[in-house]
Amino acid sequence: MIEARRLHILRAVADHRTVTAAAAALYLTPSAVSQQLAALEQETGHRLVERSARGVRLTAAGDILLTHANAVLAQLERAESELAAYGSGEAGTVTVAAFATGIGLVVAPALTALARTAPGIRVRVQDAEGDASLLMVLDRQVDVAVAVEYRGAPRADDPRLTRVPLYAEPFDAVLPPGHRLAEAAQVAVADLAGDPWIGPYPGNPCHDVVVLACEYAGFEPRLEHSSDDFRAVVSLASAAAGVALVPRSALRDMDLTGVVVRPVDGVAPTRRVFAAVRRGAGDHPLLRPVLAALREAAAPQG
């Protein structure tokens, strides 16, 4: 009989690609993870993982078992949801991981609404970038992720997750006040090819949006300054350190007197934001009101 706990460990190893990283995510020791993998291989009668200097990858048998593991774990989430519904599920704690702007834009307003509509639900919020928050959901460290579409993100039909679209917003060009395009009504990304750039670090989903926008415009941006804090990005632009593309919502309530902000000419790069829960958990009586409140808070952002 295959233990579901070991299937969860197999999926964590597949997601994190090293035993050490999977162990840290699951709050286990690497030796415990290795022992559970060995036990799972003994249960199945197949070698499931291959180790190399670059990490761990699943064998063909491991890939087959992972497909079934996703289905089994999703069904267990549904079972928990139905049992919680049977027991009323009107009170409890839900943990939400979201990036900073998403917290201000949708999570905080959702908390205000939930205090009125579902006072028995306590929401705990953690600040995490979109690429990190999705793994936190899969590793059961949090219940809900408010994340950003990025290169390499799980697809909408990923069997491990259920995604709820929230909103999409354009990026605007942020220029120093003396920039040659400061008087333009709109700025084409291609016209910034020769400028130094300021942007998020690689790994931040917004970094991918910026780099892809430049690639589509026919060049690779010369990123001379890096920060995941958009206030720092704007400050550097005001010091004429370079140009940037910044999500429009991140510029709200920010002092922009030292920079010029212009919409992007043509099809603007866009940040697409969604909520995600583990597949099968969307109907949990604690999660359903939280997801509804997030959707309602996001509606004005369109």
Side-chain angles (χ1 to χ4, degrees):
M1 180 71 69
I2 298 174
E3 289 191 17
R5 177 169 56 98
R6 289 172 181 154
L7 294 179
H8 183 56
I9 289 173
L10 179 71
R11 186 163 80 177
V13 169
D15 288 338
H16 292 277
R17 301 187 183 279
T18 70
V19 168
T20 300
L26 298 174
Y27 300 103
L28 297 172
T29 64
S31 61
V33 169
S34 295
Q35 289 169 10
Q36 292 299 317
L37 287 175
L40 185 58
E41 290 181 328
Q42 186 173 3
E43 288 173 345
T44 61
H46 291 279
R47 187 180 180 187
L48 302 175
V49 298
E50 292 181 345
R51 292 172 171 81
S52 70
R54 293 185 296 177
V56 176
R57 70 178 185 88
L58 299 190
T59 64
D63 285 331
I64 291 171
L65 184 58
L66 180 63
T67 299
H68 291 284
N70 288 331
V72 168
L73 294 173
Q75 190 60 42
L76 288 174
E77 292 284 353
R78 294 186 188 99
E80 290 183 7
S81 298
E82 291 186 17
L83 287 171
Y86 178 76
S88 80
E90 294 180 353
T93 299
V94 174
T95 306
V96 178
F99 58 100
T101 308
I103 291 173
L105 208 60
V106 295
V107 177
L111 264 61
T112 300
L114 286 167
R116 298 190 309 269
T117 61
I121 297 178
R122 176 174 175 250
V123 179
R124 297 176 59 245
V125 180
Q126 297 184 23
D127 188 336
E129 291 299 336
D131 55 334
S133 64
L134 294 175
L135 282 176
M136 292 168 73
V137 166
L138 290 171
D139 292 334
R140 303 183 70 91
Q141 297 175 11
V142 301
D143 302 301
V144 182
V146 175
V148 177
E149 191 71 61
Y150 62 95
R151 183 160 41 186
R155 300 189 326 180
D157 61 353
D158 190 292
R160 302 167 298 169
L161 295 167
T162 296
R163 289 173 34 161
V164 178
L166 294 179
Y167 65 93
E169 62 172 327
F171 281 58
D172 288 328
V174 178
L175 313 173
H179 194 274
R180 65 187 181 283
L181 299 176
E183 300 301 321
Q186 295 179 318
V187 174
V189 175
D191 290 339
L192 302 174
D195 289 273
W197 280 72
I198 312 158
Y201 284 101
N204 185 315
C206 288
H207 173 89
D208 286 345
V209 175
V210 171
V211 171
L212 282 172
C214 294
E215 288 178 359
Y216 290 149
F219 70 97
E220 181 178 348
R222 179 161 49 94
L223 283 163
E224 294 199 354
H225 310 282
S226 298
S227 175
D228 289 333
D229 184 337
F230 287 119
R231 292 186 182 276
V233 170
V234 169
S235 294
L236 287 168
S238 71
V243 300
L245 292 174
V246 177
R248 187 165 292 170
S249 66
L251 296 171
R252 295 177 186 174
D253 304 321
M254 196 183 294
D255 183 6
L256 302 174
T257 55
V259 294
V260 174
V261 178
R262 294 289 183 264
V264 171
D265 187 22
V267 179
T270 301
R271 174 160 72 173
R272 303 185 186 282
V273 179
F274 60 92
V277 297
R278 291 180 294 278
R279 178 81 66 168
D283 288 329
H284 192 289
L286 291 178
L287 298 186
R288 192 168 52 244
V290 173
L291 292 173
L294 290 170
R295 282 196 300 267
E296 183 178 352
Q301 315 308 324

